[in-house]
Amino acid sequence: MSGSQDGVFRGRAGERELLDGVLAAGTGVVLVDGAAGTGKTRLLTEATAVAARRGFAVATARDELDQPFLLARLAEREPDGPTLVVLDDLHLAEPGTLAALRALLPATTRQRVVWLLARRAGEGTDRLFAGLARNAVRIELRPLPDDVVAELVGDLTGGAPDDDLLALAATAQGNPAALLGLVTALCEDGHVVVGSGRSSLRTDCPPHRTEALIRGRLTALSGHARHVLQVASVLGQRFEPGDVAELLGSSTAVLLPALDEVIGAGVVAATEDRLEFRHELVWRLVADSVPAPVRRAVHREAGEMLLRRGDGAVVAAGHLLHGAQRGDARSVDGLVAAAKAVLWQAPQAAAELAVRALELTDESSPSLAHRTVTAVRALVAAGRPAAGQALAKDLLTRQVPAPAAAGLRHCVAVTAVLATRHAEAVEITDALLGDPDLAADLVPWVEITRLMALLAHDRRRAEELAEAVVGTRKSAPDDVLATALAVLAVIARDTGQPGTALELARAAARSVSSHDLCAYPQLLLATLHSGLREFGEADGVLHRVRSGPSAVVTRQLLTAVVQARMSLQAGRIEEAAAEARTVLATAEDTGHTAVVAPALAVLAVVALHTGDLPAAVEHVERYRGLAPVDGIVFSRAYYHWADVLVTYVGRGLDPALGLLNGEYPALVSSGLFAEEPRAAGWFVRRAVEAGDERLAKAVVDRAEQLAEENPDLRAVAAAALHARGLLDGDAALLELASAQHRDPWARANAAEDLGALLASAPDRTASVKALEDALARYREIGASRDSARVLGRLRKLGRRRRAEPVRPSSGWSSLDDTERAIANLVAKGQTNRQISTQLFMSPHTVNFHLRKIFRKLGISSRVELVLRSRDDR
């Protein structure tokens, strides 16, 4: 009894074997149980044919009406030889027929008679089957297992089915007849396409026959079950039973029978944490059965329910968007309320909600102005400041109530700061704060915006206002106080007071009370720690910022650009470049001009150290017009120094020092040597090269003064040792500086300076050792240009070093330590965000490394990475 292509007997090898055994014995009773469509009749037909070939006489009833007559004939005359008696559909038999069968069976136990009895499971005859079970062979036709279903679908379609096709096939619940009908309908609809030995579903043609088939199954459900399904379908393809119960004003326990019914019917499946429709096609058919007005109402109720519970804000926003319509004040008010609720943690969703609310608001509505304020704030938070500004300015050309007008003007001031139009922001905020009727809840935000604008536009006035705030506001937390302290910290940083700057920044970070500030005080603290090469502290601050609830785009960009420079300072060049490129692309797309110059500065230094001088020059030329208006993220001295670095490599010493315009006092009095400690050694080196003793001495004096004034700052002390060692030609100081530097770049610089100093000694062993140490450090951080320079020094000393050992280009051995760590965490099922938290890097950086891992391993997905990792282990 072999299987056939329609699959009724696929996966029935065990059942066929049991039947063969009974037929071989020539006597016995076989009880066959199975639901409709599982192949009972087909199994009986096949058994009949096999028995006939073996010489059995076959006695079978045409239907349930013929069964009593067959039994009567058997009772009257004993069979002459081996006989197979087949009775199908016993669940339809009359009570008299079943009574006759019960009486006849014991009488034939000594005869060569095989009884083959079949019924539909769960429909009568339980007493009969129970009484016979002890001495009978029991066959239960269960649903086909998944692997057999896949084989059957493959037979029917002519190709191995993909996951989507198998998901739809799973709605047949392993029932062969249902599966055959479903796949046949799909093929007749032309909804299956076969290519390269794989069969899949098409999405460009409507599956009319298939939909009709599925609708028929849905119609067979009870009314209560269909009702539950319809409500669930509005929630989405995946849903929580508790949400359905709450919308129905019921409980999950009360819904349990209906849920059991739809799961048993194969419409819905249970996953680890929720229920889901077996296939998108089934879900959409159920959802489409809900009338549009009802569907909108359920969407609105679902959104309100999720917002009320305080979870699922983004999902709630989607429901409210589907539930709102013009003229429905309640639904539009719900959109606005939802936008305010999710503004900080889901600004993109908030912007969609708020803009949709505006689209549904009449021009004459008294709510128009306040809804516009919400929309503008949401657009700015979502990284669309230009759109927000345009919306605000458009409404301000009309008659707008004073409170709403003030809110709109403040939004314009915020967008002006983001676009580095600081004078405009100062003018707007000054005017707003001069209005005695300005709403009390708006005053602190206007003060914060003015302080930030003044920090870039008018340092003297910014300092005066910040000191006034600190003098009058003593209690923390207080966001205005936090901003004022941050302003004073920046001024201290840029005037060469690193210890004071650090103390003020810590106080600012402690004073923050809201996540709406884009974390500027905390990010400033991280930049100060990183500048002083206190990377552990800086990482901790960034980790806390990233762990916060806000997803405002400005906050994310500021965090990312701070991370980019921190990675650069820590010697992680590739990570720095990836982060900075992401920031630059996003900032240019969204109009966040304020972070363009910082990203370009990082990319310029990266390009310089990796030997890409044209790119370094291009980046510097792009930020020259922007850097003078910064000073908020990085100091202006930092941009100046990067410009000097690139100019020196590209055009030589004189043009580079010419950029200083003889302003040595301004250079040495700035905070550059604390923000970038290795700059002190670089300027001394160049001053000695140029024979400019005045510049060299001024730099050394300033570095030593900073070290004396800030004895707890190790990076500053090491920079002073380095500068003095270069000026005095003191090998011991350079060796000590190399040991004490916390900066991988500065350690390599000091080792190279030591090697260059010792190169003129009679015994060049110490020189070679120091240069080889510098070379190893440069290679470790990927500074190819610096490595090439040191290789040139070694060649002059007669030492021929091979180029850096080449790591294999593919396979696990091609992965570096960071890539291996990320691959291992992916193999454990962690997301990019979880990995970024563990490894103290941004999700963008994790994604950058993942792309490299995929390329090296020749794979294209996380699933392949997990499988490859397991195989290699």
Side-chain angles (χ1 to χ4, degrees):
M1 296 194 302
S2 60
S4 57
Q5 192 164 12
D6 63 11
V8 172
F9 286 113
R10 272 199 177 276
R12 303 299 190 205
E15 290 85 343
R16 295 199 303 271
E17 187 176 342
L18 287 173
L19 269 175
D20 280 340
V22 175
L23 289 174
T27 184
V29 178
V30 179
L31 309 178
V32 180
D33 265 312
T38 53
K40 298 184 306 301
T41 301
R42 197 52 198 282
L43 184 64
L44 269 56
T45 301
E46 187 73 16
T48 298
V50 171
R53 288 197 298 270
R54 293 183 181 181
F56 278 73
V58 177
T60 181
R62 290 186 298 274
D63 52 34
E64 67 273 13
L65 298 177
D66 190 38
Q67 289 171 353
F69 298 102
L70 173 63
L71 293 174
R73 289 195 299 273
L74 291 172
E76 291 173 356
R77 185 168 59 88
E78 185 174 319
D80 298 332
T83 302
L84 173 67
V85 181
V86 180
L87 296 177
D88 195 4
D89 293 332
L90 281 175
H91 57 282
L92 300 176
E94 295 292 335
T97 302
L98 297 178
L101 180 60
R102 277 197 300 270
L104 186 60
L105 283 173
T108 61
T109 54
R110 296 180 182 179
Q111 300 171 356
R112 289 181 57 76
V113 177
V114 173
W115 292 85
L116 187 52
L117 311 177
R119 66 161 186 178
R120 185 174 297 175
E123 298 191 22
T125 68
D126 286 342
R127 185 177 301 174
L128 170 66
F129 270 50
L132 297 174
R134 293 181 183 176
N135 301 314
V137 174
R138 191 80 176 256
I139 293 177
E140 184 177 356
L141 296 179
R142 297 180 179 275
L144 298 176
D146 291 344
D147 58 336
V148 176
V149 169
E151 291 175 5
L152 174 55
V153 175
D155 285 346
L156 295 171
T157 61
D162 65 6
D163 291 342
D164 189 40
L165 178 52
L166 285 176
L168 184 55
T171 63
Q173 289 288 83
N175 184 294
L179 184 61
L180 177 62
L182 175 63
V183 177
T184 300
L186 286 169
C187 292
E188 290 176 352
D189 280 333
H191 203 55
V192 176
V193 60
V194 180
S196 302
R198 301 282 293 176
S199 56
S200 57
L201 295 175
R202 293 176 58 181
T203 58
D204 57 348
C205 64
H208 299 299
R209 290 182 179 83
T210 308
E211 289 180 356
L213 184 68
I214 295 173
R215 283 195 193 94
R217 292 185 193 167
L218 295 173
T219 303
L221 296 171
S222 68
H224 183 44
R226 290 199 305 274
H227 184 198
V228 169
L229 273 182
Q230 287 178 314
V231 174
S233 72
V234 177
L235 291 173
Q237 188 171 350
R238 302 180 77 233
F239 59 91
E240 295 196 24
D243 291 345
V244 180
E246 187 171 346
L247 285 172
L248 289 170
S250 183
S251 68
T252 306
V254 172
L255 296 187
L256 191 56
L259 294 173
D260 280 342
E261 182 180 352
V262 297
I263 292 172
V267 179
V268 167
T271 64
E272 186 175 342
D273 60 344
R274 58 186 62 196
L275 300 178
E276 68 176 344
F277 285 87
R278 285 275 189 177
H279 194 271
E280 182 183 3
L281 180 60
V282 179
W283 167 53
R284 294 202 177 281
L285 282 174
V286 176
D288 289 345
S289 71
V290 182
V294 178
R295 188 162 57 244
R296 282 196 299 270
V298 176
H299 271 304
R300 185 178 66 238
E301 291 172 5
E304 291 171 349
M305 172 189 73
L306 293 171
L307 282 180
R308 191 167 55 248
R309 287 208 311 242
D311 59 10
V314 177
V315 179
H319 285 300
L320 291 169
L321 281 171
H322 283 95
Q325 59 180 335
R326 184 177 290 277
D328 184 347
R330 180 185 171 191
S331 65
V332 177
D333 286 342
L335 290 178
V336 176
K340 292 178 179 178
V342 304
L343 180 60
W344 306 116
Q345 66 267 37
Q348 303 289 351
E352 284 190 46
L353 289 164
V355 170
R356 180 59 178 157
L358 272 187
E359 291 171 351
L360 298 176
T361 302
D362 293 331
E363 290 288 322
S364 59
S365 171
S367 301
L368 177 65
H370 291 291
R371 289 175 182 173
T372 303
V373 173
T374 301
V376 172
R377 287 175 177 165
L379 287 167
V380 174
R384 298 162 62 187
Q389 183 190 67
L391 193 60
K393 287 187 172 180
D394 176 65
L395 191 60
L396 286 170
T397 61
R398 298 179 246 173
Q399 197 75 17
V400 180
L408 291 171
R409 291 169 65 198
H410 174 246
C411 289
V412 172
V414 170
T415 62
V417 172
L418 296 179
T420 65
R421 300 194 308 275
H422 300 111
E424 178 185 344
V426 170
E427 181 181 355
I428 294 172
T429 52
D430 277 344
L432 285 172
L433 290 169
D435 181 358
D437 296 325
L438 183 65
D441 61 342
L442 189 58
V443 169
W445 297 110
V446 178
E447 290 180 336
I448 289 168
T449 305
R450 180 170 68 172
L451 280 168
M452 296 301 295
L454 285 170
L455 182 58
H457 178 65
D458 186 341
R459 283 286 173 95
R460 182 190 60 77
R461 190 174 167 215
E463 184 174 14
E464 290 174 356
L465 284 176
E467 287 177 343
V469 169
V470 173
T472 56
R473 292 175 180 258
K474 299 297 184 183
S475 60
D478 180 333
D479 289 329
V480 179
L481 176 61
T483 306
L485 288 167
V487 166
L488 294 176
V490 169
I491 293 171
R493 174 198 70 184
D494 294 352
T495 53
Q497 304 172 67
T500 302
L502 200 56
E503 181 181 348
L504 287 166
R506 286 187 179 124
R510 288 194 301 268
S511 298
V512 172
S513 66
S514 169
H515 55 255
D516 308 349
L517 270 183
C518 296
Y520 179 72
Q522 299 98 310
L523 293 174
L524 173 63
L525 178 60
T527 65
L528 293 173
H529 279 307
S530 179
L532 295 168
R533 295 345 186 222
E534 296 169 349
F535 295 121
E537 292 86 342
D539 278 335
V541 173
L542 278 187
H543 177 65
R544 289 192 293 275
V545 170
R546 285 203 170 99
S547 301
S550 176
V552 172
V553 171
T554 303
R555 176 190 177 109
Q556 293 178 336
L557 288 173
L558 285 171
T559 304
V561 82
V562 169
Q563 176 70 73
R565 191 174 71 161
M566 186 191 307
S567 297
L568 175 62
Q569 291 170 329
R572 301 191 300 271
I573 291 184
E574 288 189 349
E575 290 180 22
E579 198 83 61
R581 288 191 195 101
T582 300
V583 171
L584 183 61
T586 307
E588 291 179 333
D589 286 344
T590 59
H592 282 76
T593 312
V595 292
V596 169
L600 287 170
V602 171
L603 289 172
V605 178
V606 167
L608 183 67
H609 285 295
T610 54
D612 191 352
L613 182 59
V617 171
E618 179 186 349
H619 295 320
V620 168
E621 287 178 347
R622 287 186 62 191
Y623 81 57
R624 274 179 182 151
L626 299 172
V629 296
D630 187 32
I632 294 178
V633 184
F634 303 154
S635 74
R636 292 167 184 168
Y638 180 81
Y639 297 108
H640 201 181
W641 179 65
D643 194 350
V644 171
L645 273 178
V646 172
T647 302
Y648 172 73
V649 174
R651 296 171 52 204
L653 180 61
D654 289 341
L657 294 184
L659 290 177
L660 300 178
N661 295 321
E663 296 180 5
Y664 299 161
L667 170 70
V668 299
S669 65
S670 74
L672 178 62
F673 300 152
E675 186 178 11
E676 197 59 56
R678 68 187 180 111
W682 190 91
F683 275 110
V684 173
R685 200 179 301 119
R686 301 289 80 85
V688 171
E689 181 183 348
D692 191 336
E693 184 178 349
R694 185 168 70 93
L695 174 59
K697 189 174 185 311
V699 172
V700 172
D701 288 347
R702 179 55 178 159
E704 290 179 336
Q705 181 188 0
L706 283 173
E708 183 179 350
E709 293 173 350
N710 302 276
D712 296 331
L713 303 181
R714 289 174 51 191
V716 174
L721 288 174
H722 193 168
R724 174 57 69 181
L726 278 168
L727 181 62
D728 295 351
D730 190 325
L733 287 179
L734 290 175
E735 187 173 7
L736 185 60
S738 181
Q740 291 190 3
H741 270 307
R742 308 179 76 179
D743 177 342
W745 296 97
R747 283 198 299 270
N749 290 162
E752 182 182 359
D753 289 334
L754 176 61
L757 178 64
L758 297 175
S760 58
D763 183 358
R764 297 180 174 181
T765 304
S767 174
V768 170
K769 182 177 181 300
L771 290 173
E772 288 182 336
D773 179 42
L775 179 62
R777 294 182 186 280
Y778 284 136
R779 282 177 167 174
E780 183 180 353
I781 58 183
S784 54
R785 177 182 171 277
D786 303 280
S787 298
R789 184 180 63 247
V790 175
L791 281 171
R793 291 185 187 276
L794 285 168
R795 280 194 293 270
K796 288 180 181 179
L797 295 176
R799 295 298 294 261
R800 296 282 178 182
R801 287 291 303 261
R802 292 181 182 178
E804 182 178 8
V806 178
R807 191 185 295 271
S809 60
S810 62
W812 281 102
S813 57
S814 69
L815 304 184
D816 61 28
D817 292 342
T818 300
E819 291 163 353
R820 283 180 179 275
I822 290 173
N824 288 334
L825 291 174
V826 170
K828 293 177 182 177
Q830 295 203 8
T831 65
N832 283 12
R833 185 163 294 281
Q834 290 170 326
I835 294 170
S836 71
T837 299
Q838 285 211 42
L839 300 184
F840 296 99
M841 60 180 64
S842 76
H844 294 303
T845 304
V846 174
N847 191 49
F848 165 75
H849 284 298
L850 265 181
R851 290 197 300 272
K852 292 177 62 182
I853 293 168
F854 290 169
R855 185 178 67 252
K856 291 180 178 181
L857 298 183
I859 58 179
S860 58
S861 71
R862 300 172 79 93
V863 174
E864 290 179 277
L865 178 56
V866 172
L867 296 175
R868 182 75 177 269
S869 176
R870 291 174 182 169
D871 291 344
D872 282 6
R873 287 198 183 102

